[in-house]
Every structure is written in C-alpha cells, then in structure tokens.
Amino acid sequence: MIQVLWEYTVKPEQVINFESHYASAGTWARFFQKSPAWRGTLLLRDPETPHRYVTVDVWADRAAYDAFRGEHSSEYEEIDRRCAEFTTAERCLGIFDVV
C-alpha cells in the first residue's frame, strides 16, 4: 500500500471551497473512486499554521496509482485547474510505502 501526500496553503476566503473539494467525500475522492485500487483520502488541517492543509491519498500500490493517473490524466488536470483558485501554494510531499 502507498500514501500520496500533498501540502497546500489555502486562501482564507477559499477555505470552505477547498475543504469541500479535498475532503474524504469531496471532488477528488469521487474522482479517485473510479479505481478499485484507491483506498481513501484524508484531509488534515494544521492547527498551528492557519490555512495549511495536507491530503493523504491511500492506494493499493504504486503501479495502480500510476496507471490511474495515466489513464485519467485529462480529467485529473481539469480538476486540478478548477481547484487551483483555492490555494496560494501546493506541493507534493512524496509517495510513501506503508511499512
């Protein structure tokens, strides 16, 4: 199993929109549900740093994640473009194996 972590800095006026799209039942989760290898998404908010969030997307394995990204790249990019207005910064923290 792998976990894909992303960090975001959210615009104060976009917190509600960001949370609705990135939550465990949000836009991204509904998109990832197309794959039987997707295991779930967590949305974490940093209580010490306002507007800092981390998402954790859990997948069965790296090959399934890469295949999904490749097969659905256009839709992935479209959702990413629509959600870009919610943040001032976004970065992938990495893809981690569960040990």
mmCIF file of all heavy atoms in Angstrom, residues 10-57:
data_model
loop_
_atom_site.group_PDB
_atom_site.id
_atom_site.type_symbol
_atom_site.label_atom_id
_atom_site.label_comp_id
_atom_site.label_asym_id
_atom_site.label_seq_id
_atom_site.Cartn_x
_atom_site.Cartn_y
_atom_site.Cartn_z
ATOM 1 N N VAL A 10 -3.968 27.479 1.722
ATOM 2 C CA VAL A 10 -5.283 27.838 1.204
ATOM 3 C C VAL A 10 -5.565 29.321 1.444
ATOM 4 O O VAL A 10 -5.274 29.852 2.517
ATOM 5 C CB VAL A 10 -6.363 26.955 1.876
ATOM 6 C CG1 VAL A 10 -7.761 27.331 1.404
ATOM 7 C CG2 VAL A 10 -6.079 25.487 1.612
ATOM 8 N N LYS A 11 -6.149 29.951 0.436
ATOM 9 C CA LYS A 11 -6.557 31.351 0.575
ATOM 10 C C LYS A 11 -7.650 31.417 1.642
ATOM 11 O O LYS A 11 -8.580 30.599 1.637
ATOM 12 C CB LYS A 11 -7.106 31.876 -0.749
ATOM 13 C CG LYS A 11 -6.094 31.918 -1.861
ATOM 14 C CD LYS A 11 -6.769 32.335 -3.169
ATOM 15 C CE LYS A 11 -5.793 32.294 -4.319
ATOM 16 N NZ LYS A 11 -6.470 32.572 -5.613
ATOM 17 N N PRO A 12 -7.560 32.380 2.553
ATOM 18 C CA PRO A 12 -8.546 32.455 3.641
ATOM 19 C C PRO A 12 -9.996 32.468 3.160
ATOM 20 O O PRO A 12 -10.861 31.826 3.761
ATOM 21 C CB PRO A 12 -8.197 33.754 4.362
ATOM 22 C CG PRO A 12 -6.757 33.984 4.045
ATOM 23 C CD PRO A 12 -6.540 33.419 2.669
ATOM 24 N N GLU A 13 -10.244 33.160 2.072
ATOM 25 C CA GLU A 13 -11.615 33.265 1.571
ATOM 26 C C GLU A 13 -12.072 32.012 0.815
ATOM 27 O O GLU A 13 -13.237 31.908 0.419
ATOM 28 C CB GLU A 13 -11.766 34.501 0.672
ATOM 29 C CG GLU A 13 -11.023 34.422 -0.649
ATOM 30 C CD GLU A 13 -9.551 34.825 -0.598
ATOM 31 O OE1 GLU A 13 -8.972 34.992 0.502
ATOM 32 O OE2 GLU A 13 -8.976 34.971 -1.683
ATOM 33 N N GLN A 14 -11.170 31.040 0.646
ATOM 34 C CA GLN A 14 -11.491 29.823 -0.105
ATOM 35 C C GLN A 14 -11.507 28.555 0.750
ATOM 36 O O GLN A 14 -11.623 27.456 0.212
ATOM 37 C CB GLN A 14 -10.490 29.652 -1.259
ATOM 38 C CG GLN A 14 -10.586 30.700 -2.335
ATOM 39 C CD GLN A 14 -11.867 30.593 -3.137
ATOM 40 O OE1 GLN A 14 -12.570 29.581 -3.115
ATOM 41 N NE2 GLN A 14 -12.198 31.649 -3.852
ATOM 42 N N VAL A 15 -11.405 28.711 2.064
ATOM 43 C CA VAL A 15 -11.330 27.538 2.952
ATOM 44 C C VAL A 15 -12.518 26.605 2.758
ATOM 45 O O VAL A 15 -12.350 25.390 2.619
ATOM 46 C CB VAL A 15 -11.186 27.980 4.429
ATOM 47 C CG1 VAL A 15 -11.451 26.824 5.377
ATOM 48 C CG2 VAL A 15 -9.802 28.564 4.663
ATOM 49 N N ILE A 16 -13.721 27.141 2.723
ATOM 50 C CA ILE A 16 -14.915 26.290 2.592
ATOM 51 C C ILE A 16 -14.888 25.538 1.265
ATOM 52 O O ILE A 16 -15.143 24.329 1.213
ATOM 53 C CB ILE A 16 -16.199 27.109 2.759
ATOM 54 C CG1 ILE A 16 -16.313 27.591 4.198
ATOM 55 C CG2 ILE A 16 -17.425 26.298 2.365
ATOM 56 C CD1 ILE A 16 -17.430 28.589 4.442
ATOM 57 N N ASN A 17 -14.564 26.247 0.187
ATOM 58 C CA ASN A 17 -14.489 25.587 -1.121
ATOM 59 C C ASN A 17 -13.400 24.525 -1.140
ATOM 60 O O ASN A 17 -13.612 23.408 -1.628
ATOM 61 C CB ASN A 17 -14.228 26.614 -2.231
ATOM 62 C CG ASN A 17 -15.426 27.468 -2.499
ATOM 63 O OD1 ASN A 17 -16.562 27.024 -2.383
ATOM 64 N ND2 ASN A 17 -15.191 28.710 -2.842
ATOM 65 N N PHE A 18 -12.231 24.868 -0.618
ATOM 66 C CA PHE A 18 -11.121 23.912 -0.591
ATOM 67 C C PHE A 18 -11.533 22.655 0.166
ATOM 68 O O PHE A 18 -11.367 21.536 -0.331
ATOM 69 C CB PHE A 18 -9.885 24.539 0.052
ATOM 70 C CG PHE A 18 -8.739 23.582 0.182
ATOM 71 C CD1 PHE A 18 -7.869 23.370 -0.870
ATOM 72 C CD2 PHE A 18 -8.544 22.861 1.359
ATOM 73 C CE1 PHE A 18 -6.821 22.456 -0.768
ATOM 74 C CE2 PHE A 18 -7.508 21.959 1.473
ATOM 75 C CZ PHE A 18 -6.642 21.755 0.409
ATOM 76 N N GLU A 19 -12.052 22.826 1.357
ATOM 77 C CA GLU A 19 -12.422 21.663 2.172
ATOM 78 C C GLU A 19 -13.486 20.811 1.494
ATOM 79 O O GLU A 19 -13.436 19.579 1.572
ATOM 80 C CB GLU A 19 -12.885 22.115 3.561
ATOM 81 C CG GLU A 19 -11.744 22.627 4.414
ATOM 82 C CD GLU A 19 -12.164 23.050 5.808
ATOM 83 O OE1 GLU A 19 -13.373 22.986 6.144
ATOM 84 O OE2 GLU A 19 -11.274 23.459 6.586
ATOM 85 N N SER A 20 -14.422 21.419 0.789
ATOM 86 C CA SER A 20 -15.467 20.625 0.136
ATOM 87 C C SER A 20 -14.914 19.809 -1.036
ATOM 88 O O SER A 20 -15.404 18.711 -1.306
ATOM 89 C CB SER A 20 -16.622 21.514 -0.324
ATOM 90 O OG SER A 20 -16.241 22.319 -1.413
ATOM 91 N N HIS A 21 -13.891 20.291 -1.703
ATOM 92 C CA HIS A 21 -13.321 19.566 -2.834
ATOM 93 C C HIS A 21 -12.271 18.534 -2.416
ATOM 94 O O HIS A 21 -12.079 17.544 -3.108
ATOM 95 C CB HIS A 21 -12.694 20.540 -3.832
ATOM 96 C CG HIS A 21 -13.718 21.289 -4.626
ATOM 97 N ND1 HIS A 21 -14.338 20.765 -5.734
ATOM 98 C CD2 HIS A 21 -14.244 22.517 -4.455
ATOM 99 C CE1 HIS A 21 -15.190 21.638 -6.220
ATOM 100 N NE2 HIS A 21 -15.152 22.709 -5.461
ATOM 101 N N TYR A 22 -11.588 18.776 -1.293
ATOM 102 C CA TYR A 22 -10.468 17.914 -0.895
ATOM 103 C C TYR A 22 -10.801 16.965 0.257
ATOM 104 O O TYR A 22 -9.984 16.119 0.609
ATOM 105 C CB TYR A 22 -9.256 18.773 -0.533
ATOM 106 C CG TYR A 22 -8.592 19.382 -1.752
ATOM 107 C CD1 TYR A 22 -9.091 20.536 -2.328
ATOM 108 C CD2 TYR A 22 -7.481 18.786 -2.325
ATOM 109 C CE1 TYR A 22 -8.502 21.094 -3.456
ATOM 110 C CE2 TYR A 22 -6.879 19.331 -3.454
ATOM 111 C CZ TYR A 22 -7.394 20.483 -4.009
ATOM 112 O OH TYR A 22 -6.811 21.024 -5.125
ATOM 113 N N ALA A 23 -11.977 17.062 0.833
ATOM 114 C CA ALA A 23 -12.371 16.196 1.947
ATOM 115 C C ALA A 23 -12.529 14.749 1.479
ATOM 116 O O ALA A 23 -12.536 14.453 0.281
ATOM 117 C CB ALA A 23 -13.671 16.701 2.565
ATOM 118 N N SER A 24 -12.707 13.850 2.428
ATOM 119 C CA SER A 24 -12.764 12.418 2.130
ATOM 120 C C SER A 24 -13.951 12.021 1.257
ATOM 121 O O SER A 24 -13.969 10.918 0.707
ATOM 122 C CB SER A 24 -12.772 11.611 3.421
ATOM 123 O OG SER A 24 -13.903 11.943 4.184
ATOM 124 N N ALA A 25 -14.925 12.906 1.097
ATOM 125 C CA ALA A 25 -16.052 12.644 0.198
ATOM 126 C C ALA A 25 -16.174 13.744 -0.856
ATOM 127 O O ALA A 25 -17.218 13.885 -1.485
ATOM 128 C CB ALA A 25 -17.342 12.536 1.009
ATOM 129 N N GLY A 26 -15.099 14.491 -1.061
ATOM 130 C CA GLY A 26 -15.124 15.630 -1.975
ATOM 131 C C GLY A 26 -14.877 15.250 -3.433
ATOM 132 O O GLY A 26 -14.879 14.073 -3.806
ATOM 133 N N THR A 27 -14.644 16.259 -4.228
ATOM 134 C CA THR A 27 -14.447 16.096 -5.668
ATOM 135 C C THR A 27 -13.333 15.118 -5.999
ATOM 136 O O THR A 27 -13.494 14.230 -6.848
ATOM 137 C CB THR A 27 -14.147 17.465 -6.308
ATOM 138 O OG1 THR A 27 -15.231 18.349 -6.021
ATOM 139 C CG2 THR A 27 -13.950 17.352 -7.802
ATOM 140 N N TRP A 28 -12.190 15.295 -5.345
ATOM 141 C CA TRP A 28 -11.064 14.399 -5.630
ATOM 142 C C TRP A 28 -11.391 12.965 -5.238
ATOM 143 O O TRP A 28 -11.089 12.025 -5.977
ATOM 144 C CB TRP A 28 -9.803 14.882 -4.910
ATOM 145 C CG TRP A 28 -9.182 16.045 -5.593
ATOM 146 C CD1 TRP A 28 -9.203 17.349 -5.186
ATOM 147 C CD2 TRP A 28 -8.450 16.031 -6.825
ATOM 148 N NE1 TRP A 28 -8.530 18.137 -6.081
ATOM 149 C CE2 TRP A 28 -8.057 17.355 -7.104
ATOM 150 C CE3 TRP A 28 -8.085 15.040 -7.718
ATOM 151 C CZ2 TRP A 28 -7.314 17.703 -8.227
ATOM 152 C CZ3 TRP A 28 -7.350 15.380 -8.838
ATOM 153 C CH2 TRP A 28 -6.970 16.703 -9.090
ATOM 154 N N ALA A 29 -12.008 12.762 -4.099
ATOM 155 C CA ALA A 29 -12.352 11.404 -3.661
ATOM 156 C C ALA A 29 -13.328 10.751 -4.638
ATOM 157 O O ALA A 29 -13.161 9.568 -4.986
ATOM 158 C CB ALA A 29 -12.940 11.441 -2.258
ATOM 159 N N ARG A 30 -14.317 11.496 -5.097
ATOM 160 C CA ARG A 30 -15.269 10.934 -6.061
ATOM 161 C C ARG A 30 -14.560 10.566 -7.372
ATOM 162 O O ARG A 30 -14.884 9.557 -7.999
ATOM 163 C CB ARG A 30 -16.422 11.905 -6.305
ATOM 164 C CG ARG A 30 -17.356 12.007 -5.101
ATOM 165 C CD ARG A 30 -18.634 12.753 -5.415
ATOM 166 N NE ARG A 30 -18.422 14.086 -5.977
ATOM 167 C CZ ARG A 30 -18.205 15.195 -5.266
ATOM 168 N NH1 ARG A 30 -18.180 15.126 -3.942
ATOM 169 N NH2 ARG A 30 -18.044 16.360 -5.857
ATOM 170 N N PHE A 31 -13.582 11.365 -7.752
ATOM 171 C CA PHE A 31 -12.798 11.059 -8.947
ATOM 172 C C PHE A 31 -11.978 9.782 -8.745
ATOM 173 O O PHE A 31 -11.996 8.876 -9.575
ATOM 174 C CB PHE A 31 -11.896 12.254 -9.271
ATOM 175 C CG PHE A 31 -10.869 12.016 -10.330
ATOM 176 C CD1 PHE A 31 -11.225 11.632 -11.612
ATOM 177 C CD2 PHE A 31 -9.518 12.184 -10.046
ATOM 178 C CE1 PHE A 31 -10.267 11.413 -12.597
ATOM 179 C CE2 PHE A 31 -8.554 11.976 -11.024
ATOM 180 C CZ PHE A 31 -8.931 11.591 -12.302
ATOM 181 N N PHE A 32 -11.282 9.693 -7.615
ATOM 182 C CA PHE A 32 -10.444 8.526 -7.344
ATOM 183 C C PHE A 32 -11.254 7.247 -7.176
ATOM 184 O O PHE A 32 -10.741 6.144 -7.394
ATOM 185 C CB PHE A 32 -9.587 8.756 -6.108
ATOM 186 C CG PHE A 32 -8.536 9.815 -6.258
ATOM 187 C CD1 PHE A 32 -8.158 10.594 -5.167
ATOM 188 C CD2 PHE A 32 -7.907 10.060 -7.471
ATOM 189 C CE1 PHE A 32 -7.182 11.569 -5.282
ATOM 190 C CE2 PHE A 32 -6.926 11.037 -7.602
ATOM 191 C CZ PHE A 32 -6.562 11.793 -6.504
ATOM 192 N N GLN A 33 -12.527 7.368 -6.801
ATOM 193 C CA GLN A 33 -13.387 6.190 -6.617
ATOM 194 C C GLN A 33 -13.532 5.367 -7.889
ATOM 195 O O GLN A 33 -13.945 4.209 -7.833
ATOM 196 C CB GLN A 33 -14.786 6.595 -6.157
ATOM 197 C CG GLN A 33 -14.887 6.910 -4.706
ATOM 198 C CD GLN A 33 -16.294 7.354 -4.322
ATOM 199 O OE1 GLN A 33 -17.104 7.732 -5.161
ATOM 200 N NE2 GLN A 33 -16.570 7.342 -3.036
ATOM 201 N N LYS A 34 -13.181 5.926 -9.014
ATOM 202 C CA LYS A 34 -13.252 5.185 -10.282
ATOM 203 C C LYS A 34 -12.282 4.008 -10.285
ATOM 204 O O LYS A 34 -12.421 3.096 -11.090
ATOM 205 C CB LYS A 34 -12.919 6.107 -11.455
ATOM 206 C CG LYS A 34 -13.927 7.191 -11.672
ATOM 207 C CD LYS A 34 -13.509 8.089 -12.810
ATOM 208 C CE LYS A 34 -14.526 9.189 -13.003
ATOM 209 N NZ LYS A 34 -14.185 10.031 -14.157
ATOM 210 N N SER A 35 -11.292 4.037 -9.407
ATOM 211 C CA SER A 35 -10.301 2.965 -9.332
ATOM 212 C C SER A 35 -10.571 2.056 -8.140
ATOM 213 O O SER A 35 -10.688 2.531 -7.010
ATOM 214 C CB SER A 35 -8.890 3.546 -9.190
ATOM 215 O OG SER A 35 -7.965 2.495 -8.943
ATOM 216 N N PRO A 36 -10.618 0.749 -8.362
ATOM 217 C CA PRO A 36 -10.753 -0.180 -7.234
ATOM 218 C C PRO A 36 -9.501 -0.203 -6.353
ATOM 219 O O PRO A 36 -9.543 -0.726 -5.240
ATOM 220 C CB PRO A 36 -11.005 -1.533 -7.899
ATOM 221 C CG PRO A 36 -10.473 -1.402 -9.283
ATOM 222 C CD PRO A 36 -10.594 0.056 -9.651
ATOM 223 N N ALA A 37 -8.392 0.370 -6.837
ATOM 224 C CA ALA A 37 -7.142 0.386 -6.065
ATOM 225 C C ALA A 37 -7.062 1.563 -5.101
ATOM 226 O O ALA A 37 -6.178 1.591 -4.246
ATOM 227 C CB ALA A 37 -5.945 0.432 -7.015
ATOM 228 N N TRP A 38 -7.969 2.526 -5.215
ATOM 229 C CA TRP A 38 -7.986 3.672 -4.289
ATOM 230 C C TRP A 38 -8.615 3.213 -2.984
ATOM 231 O O TRP A 38 -9.657 2.569 -2.962
ATOM 232 C CB TRP A 38 -8.782 4.822 -4.902
ATOM 233 C CG TRP A 38 -8.953 6.002 -4.006
ATOM 234 C CD1 TRP A 38 -8.014 6.920 -3.657
ATOM 235 C CD2 TRP A 38 -10.149 6.404 -3.343
ATOM 236 N NE1 TRP A 38 -8.548 7.868 -2.826
ATOM 237 C CE2 TRP A 38 -9.856 7.576 -2.613
ATOM 238 C CE3 TRP A 38 -11.436 5.899 -3.284
ATOM 239 C CZ2 TRP A 38 -10.822 8.239 -1.853
ATOM 240 C CZ3 TRP A 38 -12.386 6.551 -2.527
ATOM 241 C CH2 TRP A 38 -12.072 7.712 -1.822
ATOM 242 N N ARG A 39 -7.965 3.532 -1.872
ATOM 243 C CA ARG A 39 -8.428 3.081 -0.562
ATOM 244 C C ARG A 39 -9.039 4.191 0.295
ATOM 245 O O ARG A 39 -9.675 3.921 1.301
ATOM 246 C CB ARG A 39 -7.271 2.444 0.216
ATOM 247 C CG ARG A 39 -6.652 1.251 -0.468
ATOM 248 C CD ARG A 39 -7.645 0.098 -0.512
ATOM 249 N NE ARG A 39 -7.032 -1.100 -1.044
ATOM 250 C CZ ARG A 39 -7.302 -1.604 -2.244
ATOM 251 N NH1 ARG A 39 -8.145 -1.000 -3.040
ATOM 252 N NH2 ARG A 39 -6.723 -2.710 -2.652
ATOM 253 N N GLY A 40 -8.810 5.455 -0.084
ATOM 254 C CA GLY A 40 -9.409 6.551 0.676
ATOM 255 C C GLY A 40 -8.517 7.771 0.683
ATOM 256 O O GLY A 40 -7.350 7.727 0.281
ATOM 257 N N THR A 41 -9.104 8.865 1.145
ATOM 258 C CA THR A 41 -8.405 10.147 1.248
ATOM 259 C C THR A 41 -8.674 10.753 2.611
ATOM 260 O O THR A 41 -9.808 10.721 3.097
ATOM 261 C CB THR A 41 -8.882 11.125 0.141
ATOM 262 O OG1 THR A 41 -8.471 10.612 -1.127
ATOM 263 C CG2 THR A 41 -8.323 12.511 0.322
ATOM 264 N N LEU A 42 -7.641 11.308 3.193
ATOM 265 C CA LEU A 42 -7.767 12.066 4.438
ATOM 266 C C LEU A 42 -7.398 13.512 4.154
ATOM 267 O O LEU A 42 -6.445 13.774 3.421
ATOM 268 C CB LEU A 42 -6.813 11.536 5.508
ATOM 269 C CG LEU A 42 -7.057 10.131 6.028
ATOM 270 C CD1 LEU A 42 -5.890 9.721 6.922
ATOM 271 C CD2 LEU A 42 -8.355 10.082 6.802
ATOM 272 N N LEU A 43 -8.129 14.434 4.763
ATOM 273 C CA LEU A 43 -7.780 15.850 4.704
ATOM 274 C C LEU A 43 -7.393 16.278 6.112
ATOM 275 O O LEU A 43 -8.178 16.139 7.053
ATOM 276 C CB LEU A 43 -8.966 16.683 4.207
ATOM 277 C CG LEU A 43 -8.753 18.192 4.180
ATOM 278 C CD1 LEU A 43 -7.609 18.573 3.251
ATOM 279 C CD2 LEU A 43 -10.034 18.903 3.777
ATOM 280 N N LEU A 44 -6.162 16.787 6.253
ATOM 281 C CA LEU A 44 -5.630 17.198 7.544
ATOM 282 C C LEU A 44 -5.427 18.713 7.549
ATOM 283 O O LEU A 44 -4.920 19.274 6.580
ATOM 284 C CB LEU A 44 -4.300 16.502 7.816
ATOM 285 C CG LEU A 44 -4.270 14.987 7.629
ATOM 286 C CD1 LEU A 44 -2.853 14.466 7.777
ATOM 287 C CD2 LEU A 44 -5.210 14.311 8.612
ATOM 288 N N ARG A 45 -5.806 19.360 8.648
ATOM 289 C CA ARG A 45 -5.597 20.805 8.810
ATOM 290 C C ARG A 45 -4.617 21.021 9.956
ATOM 291 O O ARG A 45 -4.756 20.424 11.030
ATOM 292 C CB ARG A 45 -6.931 21.497 9.115
ATOM 293 C CG ARG A 45 -6.810 23.001 9.251
ATOM 294 C CD ARG A 45 -8.150 23.681 9.519
ATOM 295 N NE ARG A 45 -8.872 23.010 10.601
ATOM 296 C CZ ARG A 45 -10.137 22.608 10.512
ATOM 297 N NH1 ARG A 45 -10.838 22.799 9.431
ATOM 298 N NH2 ARG A 45 -10.715 22.012 11.542
ATOM 299 N N ASP A 46 -3.642 21.889 9.740
ATOM 300 C CA ASP A 46 -2.626 22.191 10.740
ATOM 301 C C ASP A 46 -3.193 23.209 11.736
ATOM 302 O O ASP A 46 -3.474 24.341 11.363
ATOM 303 C CB ASP A 46 -1.384 22.762 10.049
ATOM 304 C CG ASP A 46 -0.228 23.024 10.999
ATOM 305 O OD1 ASP A 46 -0.436 23.064 12.231
ATOM 306 O OD2 ASP A 46 0.892 23.208 10.498
ATOM 307 N N PRO A 47 -3.358 22.833 13.012
ATOM 308 C CA PRO A 47 -3.914 23.768 13.991
ATOM 309 C C PRO A 47 -2.953 24.898 14.360
ATOM 310 O O PRO A 47 -3.363 25.921 14.887
ATOM 311 C CB PRO A 47 -4.230 22.892 15.208
ATOM 312 C CG PRO A 47 -3.290 21.746 15.086
ATOM 313 C CD PRO A 47 -3.084 21.524 13.616
ATOM 314 N N GLU A 48 -1.666 24.721 14.075
ATOM 315 C CA GLU A 48 -0.655 25.716 14.421
ATOM 316 C C GLU A 48 -0.421 26.745 13.310
ATOM 317 O O GLU A 48 0.072 27.840 13.567
ATOM 318 C CB GLU A 48 0.673 25.024 14.745
ATOM 319 C CG GLU A 48 0.592 24.027 15.880
ATOM 320 C CD GLU A 48 0.291 24.676 17.219
ATOM 321 O OE1 GLU A 48 0.827 25.767 17.477
ATOM 322 O OE2 GLU A 48 -0.492 24.083 17.988
ATOM 323 N N THR A 49 -0.714 26.367 12.077
ATOM 324 C CA THR A 49 -0.456 27.240 10.933
ATOM 325 C C THR A 49 -1.750 27.429 10.155
ATOM 326 O O THR A 49 -2.184 26.528 9.429
ATOM 327 C CB THR A 49 0.625 26.624 10.011
ATOM 328 O OG1 THR A 49 1.783 26.342 10.798
ATOM 329 C CG2 THR A 49 1.001 27.576 8.887
ATOM 330 N N PRO A 50 -2.372 28.585 10.309
ATOM 331 C CA PRO A 50 -3.652 28.819 9.624
ATOM 332 C C PRO A 50 -3.541 28.589 8.116
ATOM 333 O O PRO A 50 -2.548 28.965 7.494
ATOM 334 C CB PRO A 50 -3.959 30.281 9.919
ATOM 335 C CG PRO A 50 -3.153 30.607 11.134
ATOM 336 C CD PRO A 50 -1.918 29.744 11.055
ATOM 337 N N HIS A 51 -4.534 27.927 7.581
ATOM 338 C CA HIS A 51 -4.690 27.718 6.145
ATOM 339 C C HIS A 51 -3.694 26.719 5.550
ATOM 340 O O HIS A 51 -3.541 26.654 4.335
ATOM 341 C CB HIS A 51 -4.669 29.052 5.395
ATOM 342 C CG HIS A 51 -5.630 30.020 5.983
ATOM 343 N ND1 HIS A 51 -5.226 31.168 6.613
ATOM 344 C CD2 HIS A 51 -6.978 29.983 6.101
ATOM 345 C CE1 HIS A 51 -6.279 31.805 7.081
ATOM 346 N NE2 HIS A 51 -7.348 31.101 6.785
ATOM 347 N N ARG A 52 -3.008 25.950 6.397
ATOM 348 C CA ARG A 52 -2.112 24.890 5.897
ATOM 349 C C ARG A 52 -2.832 23.548 6.030
ATOM 350 O O ARG A 52 -3.332 23.194 7.105
ATOM 351 C CB ARG A 52 -0.815 24.854 6.700
ATOM 352 C CG ARG A 52 0.133 23.761 6.241
ATOM 353 C CD ARG A 52 1.442 23.824 7.021
ATOM 354 N NE ARG A 52 2.316 22.742 6.619
ATOM 355 C CZ ARG A 52 2.848 21.861 7.465
ATOM 356 N NH1 ARG A 52 2.624 21.950 8.769
ATOM 357 N NH2 ARG A 52 3.625 20.916 7.009
ATOM 358 N N TYR A 53 -2.863 22.815 4.931
ATOM 359 C CA TYR A 53 -3.532 21.526 4.874
ATOM 360 C C TYR A 53 -2.612 20.491 4.246
ATOM 361 O O TYR A 53 -1.728 20.836 3.469
ATOM 362 C CB TYR A 53 -4.794 21.608 4.007
ATOM 363 C CG TYR A 53 -5.913 22.403 4.607
ATOM 364 C CD1 TYR A 53 -5.926 23.788 4.551
ATOM 365 C CD2 TYR A 53 -6.995 21.768 5.211
ATOM 366 C CE1 TYR A 53 -6.961 24.528 5.085
ATOM 367 C CE2 TYR A 53 -8.049 22.493 5.746
ATOM 368 C CZ TYR A 53 -8.014 23.873 5.680
ATOM 369 O OH TYR A 53 -9.049 24.593 6.216
ATOM 370 N N VAL A 54 -2.890 19.222 4.553
ATOM 371 C CA VAL A 54 -2.220 18.095 3.911
ATOM 372 C C VAL A 54 -3.302 17.088 3.532
ATOM 373 O O VAL A 54 -4.223 16.833 4.315
ATOM 374 C CB VAL A 54 -1.176 17.441 4.844
ATOM 375 C CG1 VAL A 54 -0.647 16.143 4.253
ATOM 376 C CG2 VAL A 54 -0.032 18.401 5.129
ATOM 377 N N THR A 55 -3.179 16.543 2.321
ATOM 378 C CA THR A 55 -4.044 15.430 1.941
ATOM 379 C C THR A 55 -3.207 14.161 1.916
ATOM 380 O O THR A 55 -2.019 14.184 1.598
ATOM 381 C CB THR A 55 -4.701 15.626 0.560
ATOM 382 O OG1 THR A 55 -3.694 15.802 -0.425
ATOM 383 C CG2 THR A 55 -5.667 16.796 0.577
ATOM 384 N N VAL A 56 -3.862 13.062 2.263
ATOM 385 C CA VAL A 56 -3.243 11.734 2.223
ATOM 386 C C VAL A 56 -4.162 10.854 1.383
ATOM 387 O O VAL A 56 -5.294 10.563 1.786
ATOM 388 C CB VAL A 56 -3.075 11.137 3.633
ATOM 389 C CG1 VAL A 56 -2.424 9.770 3.555
ATOM 390 C CG2 VAL A 56 -2.309 12.085 4.542
ATOM 391 N N ASP A 57 -3.692 10.475 0.213
ATOM 392 C CA ASP A 57 -4.443 9.581 -0.669
ATOM 393 C C ASP A 57 -3.828 8.194 -0.563
ATOM 394 O O ASP A 57 -2.627 8.029 -0.767
ATOM 395 C CB ASP A 57 -4.383 10.068 -2.121
ATOM 396 C CG ASP A 57 -4.958 11.468 -2.283
ATOM 397 O OD1 ASP A 57 -6.020 11.723 -1.699
ATOM 398 O OD2 ASP A 57 -4.343 12.283 -2.987
#
